[in-house]
Structures are given as structure tokens and as C-alpha cells.
Amino acid sequence: MKKIGLAVCYDTPNYGSQLQVLATIKAMERLGYETEIIRYKKKLTPVFLLQSLPRLFNGTFLRTKIAAKQKQKKIQKDPDIKRNTEIRKRRFRDFANHYFTNLSEPYWGWEELVKKSSKNYDGFLCGSDQLWLPQNLGSHFYTLEFAPDQKPKIAYATSFGVSEIPEYQRKRTARYLSRFQALSTREISGEKIIKSLTGREAPVVCDPTMLLDTQEWIKLIPDRKVLEKPYVFCYFLGTDESHRKAAEKLKEQTGLPLVSCPFLDNFVEADKKFGDIQLFDMDAADFINLIRHAQYILTDSFHGSIFSILNHKKFLVFDRFRKGKNSRNSRIESLCGILGLNSRRYQGDVTAIFSAVDYQKVEDRMDKLRRKSLSYLKKALSAEYNAEEEE
């Protein structure tokens, strides 16, 4: 297997998504494989309409689409926010254009995707990110259903996002999972889902961003200060205003200004005034550097947590989603549990951030997980993977 087609979210306006794609590419290049990001351009055809029909009955999918439209309406009403978010979108595009030069030709429509990808690649890989969220199932792309049966299909650290698959989707989920030659997941809950649906063992591996250590990230994203003065970096993607209030309490304790990146995933009214320094003109490289040089970090972001850990920062991670069977907090639960960092999860007292972290123990656990993950990836790419060997 030499040329691998990647089904990844490279052009999503999300810092973590872009960085995990970059890490995936670099890790695979170091293993000696050529990669190409598959650019699937949906085309309105009878096949596409038939594939998409189930999504019209998916309540979570519809709510997500409605929320996105409402967010855009609110942004359009405020000229300053509209202008600033356009600047941010441009920075996302510029980062993608600079770092993701391994793009395929556009594959227009499902039939062309199936035909050309079959000829152009020796194997296929999807991962990481929450590509297998139940509401995304209707796209059929990140499940590699377009890839031919006879060619290897690999899932690296792919996430379901939730701890349970809805009953009406279990058969379809089991069907696409059974086509993968190598399965791995990013969360313990994902491991359980795969086992229950397929009977197969799937190792829990680290997010691609953790395949590179701190020094490797510095070589890839040069170290520089985005801001000169000390600050608290507040990277909130969720809507819980109590998290902003906790940040204000930390400001009172430290006297440090709060740096925020408002209106990324959601439009939160309180974010109009939250943060002493609001940043829009920033890309994923700035995101990493803001973490590198922050005195403290408050976040509800998975990748905000990972880069805090990689850079040995004092941080607290908040639950972005309400608890329950549809909660998407499982990736944070797994990350903190595996690395022994449950003390960094916010429990109502923001002053817990001042406690020291034994990063030597964390590094030892991370190195073990990194070695296991690279071993899985090497074997999967060489078509020698056997899940039982990982147990």
C-alpha cells in the first residue's frame, strides 16, 4: 500500500480539525506513505437524494442545521462581528492552502467519487474527529462506503462523538464498520460501540495531534508570541455562560486579562462582552502559540486540552455538553482518564487550576499510548493488522 486516500475534515473552520489533519499527514509521511486528501464535491443526483433521505428524519441533524442558520443570521445583523468572522474565515482558508497541498482533483458526485478513487488509491483512511456522529451517517463519505471492497480501509482514532448509537442506526453502523480491515477509535466509549456492533476488538489510540511530541510540533509550527503581556486563554466553543463567569473569577484571582475567540461554533450573546482581548484574526498556528504562552487555559475543547497537555500548561477543561446518552463529552472523559488528568476537569472551583500537574507521569502515559497508536497505524497501513495482537 503506497498512496493513501484520506477522508478528513481539512477545510472545516475549526482549529482542532485542521491540526489533527496536519498531524495525520505528517505521521503517515514519516511512515513512508504518500497521502492525498480526497475532495468529494456533492452533486444533486437521484443517488445523492436517495442517500440523503434518512437525514430528513434525523432530529439531531436537523437541529444542527437550524442552529447553524440561526448563528449566521445573528452574525449578519452585526457589521463588526460579520467583518471579523470573515477575517477569521480567510485565515482558516490561508492555513489550509499553505499546509494542505496534497489535495485530489475534485470528485463531482458520488458516481465519480466511486470510479476515480478506486483507480487513484491503494488504500483509504478516515480519522480522527467526530466523523461518525450519528447525524453524519447520511453522508456515506467518512464511512468509506465509496471505497471498493477489495482495497484496505482503515479507521484511525475515528470518533462516534456519543456513548450510544441510536437503535434505528445500529444495523447501518454495523454494516459500514464491517467493511473496515482495521478499526481504532479515540474514546473508550467508541471501543465499546464497535465491540457491541461487530464483535471486533478496536484499540483506543491517541488523537493524531498526540502522535507528534512537543518538539515535533515546534518544528512544524514555529514558536512565537501572539501577545506580549501575560494572559488567561479562554477557548470556549460551547454555550454555557457559567463557564465565562468562572473565567471572570479567575481574572479576579490573578489580575490577568482574559483572551477569547468568540463566535466559533456558536453565537453566544454573552460573548459580545466576554474577554478583555477578543481575537478573530488568527489561524491554527496562532491557536497553538496562544496556548504555548498562556499563563492559564480554560477550555471546553478537546484539542484545546490536548495542546495544553502537550505544552505542560495549567489548565481546566469544562464539559461542553449536558450529561446523558447523547452527550458528546466522552472524548474528554477518555483523554483525562487515560492520562491521569481527571483533576483538570472543572468541578465548580476555578481555583483548582493553581494546583500542580505531575507532567512526568502524564508524559509516561502519553508515550505508552503514542507507541501503541503508532504500532497500530504501521500494521494497519501494511495490511498486517490483527486487532487481537493489541490486547
Side-chain angles (χ1 to χ4, degrees):
M1 200 191 311
K2 294 182 180 179
K3 188 174 182 180
I4 311 299
L6 302 180
V8 291
C9 295
Y10 75 98
D11 57 352
T12 302
N14 179 285
Y15 299 119
S17 295
Q18 289 193 328
L19 290 169
Q20 66 88 8
V21 171
L22 180 58
T24 299
I25 293 168
K26 294 303 175 184
M28 293 181 68
E29 285 178 351
R30 291 175 185 179
L31 294 176
Y33 293 89
E34 178 186 358
T35 62
E36 186 169 89
I37 295 173
I38 300 172
R39 289 197 292 170
Y40 170 39
K41 304 295 183 180
K42 295 174 184 176
K43 192 176 179 181
L44 197 62
T45 64
V47 172
F48 175 74
L49 291 173
L50 188 62
Q51 287 179 334
S52 302
L53 191 60
R55 304 182 98 173
L56 298 178
F57 302 95
N58 187 309
T60 304
F61 174 77
L62 293 175
R63 285 192 295 273
T64 300
K65 289 296 182 183
I66 291 169
K69 286 188 176 295
Q70 290 175 339
K71 172 191 170 185
Q72 286 306 312
K73 283 183 179 180
K74 291 176 181 177
I75 286 175
Q76 294 298 320
K77 288 181 179 179
D78 190 309
D80 290 336
I81 295 176
K82 179 182 177 181
R83 181 177 63 255
N84 284 326
T85 52
E86 287 299 323
I87 291 171
R88 179 186 284 153
K89 287 179 183 177
R90 188 195 72 234
R91 294 296 303 277
F92 275 117
R93 290 194 297 268
D94 290 347
F95 184 90
N97 291 337
H98 179 75
Y99 283 98
F100 304 135
T101 57
N102 59 332
L103 300 176
S104 75
E105 62 177 293
Y107 299 140
W108 293 98
W110 185 258
E111 291 83 358
E112 185 170 292
L113 172 67
V114 171
K115 182 180 178 180
K116 291 190 174 181
S117 62
S118 177
K119 295 179 180 179
N120 292 346
Y121 308 108
D122 300 300
F124 303 84
L125 182 143
C126 68
S128 160
D129 243 330
Q130 299 180 80
L131 302 183
W132 291 345
L133 276 168
Q135 62 259 39
N136 292 343
L137 188 57
S139 74
H140 302 279
F141 177 65
Y142 296 114
T143 53
L144 301 187
E145 291 171 70
F146 62 89
D149 290 336
Q150 68 273 20
K151 291 195 175 183
K153 290 166 285 296
I154 301 163
Y156 181 79
T158 316
S159 172
F160 295 95
V162 296
S163 57
E164 293 182 24
I165 300 298
E167 186 62 36
Y168 69 93
Q169 286 187 334
R170 289 177 66 84
K171 286 186 179 179
R172 282 190 293 158
T173 303
R175 194 178 303 124
Y176 76 71
L177 289 174
S178 67
R179 298 185 71 243
F180 281 80
Q181 281 67 39
L183 285 165
S184 67
T185 183
R186 198 171 62 181
E187 293 110 30
I188 296 169
S189 60
E191 177 187 28
K192 293 177 180 178
I193 288 171
I194 292 172
K195 178 69 173 179
S196 70
L197 293 180
T198 69
R200 295 168 62 180
E201 303 290 342
V204 176
V205 295
C206 66
D207 185 83
T209 54
M210 295 169 67
L211 289 174
L212 311 183
D213 63 26
T214 307
Q215 292 306 311
E216 288 172 318
W217 272 113
I218 288 175
K219 290 178 183 177
L220 193 55
I221 305 289
D223 185 13
R224 74 174 187 88
K225 283 188 175 183
V226 178
L227 301 169
E228 290 299 323
K229 295 182 179 180
Y231 56 90
V232 177
F233 185 34
C234 303
Y235 186 62
F236 295 131
L237 300 177
T239 61
D240 196 327
E241 293 188 19
S242 70
H243 299 169
R244 279 79 170 166
K245 292 177 181 177
E248 294 290 351
K249 288 182 180 178
L250 183 61
K251 177 184 174 180
E252 292 174 7
Q253 291 277 333
T254 63
L256 295 173
L258 305 180
V259 175
S260 67
C261 309
F263 315 119
L264 277 161
D265 280 14
N266 296 283
F267 189 99
V268 180
E269 194 67 28
D271 283 352
K272 288 182 178 180
K273 297 180 179 179
F274 176 69
D276 300 288
I277 301 171
Q278 293 188 335
L279 295 179
F280 291 90
D281 191 359
M282 59 178 281
D283 62 11
D286 295 324
F287 169 75
I288 290 180
N289 279 313
L290 282 166
I291 289 175
R292 283 172 176 161
H293 294 281
Q295 300 298 304
Y296 303 99
I297 295 144
L298 300 175
T299 186
D300 59 7
S301 155
F302 178 69
H303 287 103
S305 301
I306 285 181
F307 282 99
S308 297
I309 295 165
L310 285 170
N311 290 282
H312 292 191
K313 308 304 293 189
K314 288 188 174 181
F315 75 102
L316 285 180
V317 57
F318 297 70
D319 285 345
R320 194 190 316 176
F321 305 97
R322 292 180 179 178
K323 293 180 180 179
K325 65 179 182 179
N326 294 320
S327 170
R328 288 159 60 183
N329 295 321
S330 59
R331 53 187 178 159
I332 293 294
E333 292 169 1
S334 288
L335 177 69
C336 292
I338 291 170
L339 297 183
L341 286 168
N342 284 323
S343 63
R344 309 323 293 179
R345 297 186 68 185
Y346 177 70
Q347 300 294 335
D349 180 12
V350 76
T351 62
I353 201 169
F354 299 134
S355 62
V357 181
D358 188 342
Y359 272 112
Q360 184 56 60
K361 288 185 178 179
V362 174
E363 285 290 345
D364 290 344
R365 292 190 180 205
M366 194 153 45
D367 285 344
K368 182 179 179 181
L369 180 59
R370 187 180 287 130
R371 288 194 301 271
K372 173 185 174 181
S373 303
L374 284 170
S375 174
Y376 162 82
L377 191 55
K378 287 177 184 177
K379 290 178 181 178
L381 289 167
S382 62
E384 297 175 358
Y385 177 69
N386 182 345
E388 300 300 329
E389 296 177 8
E390 297 293 341
E391 296 306 305

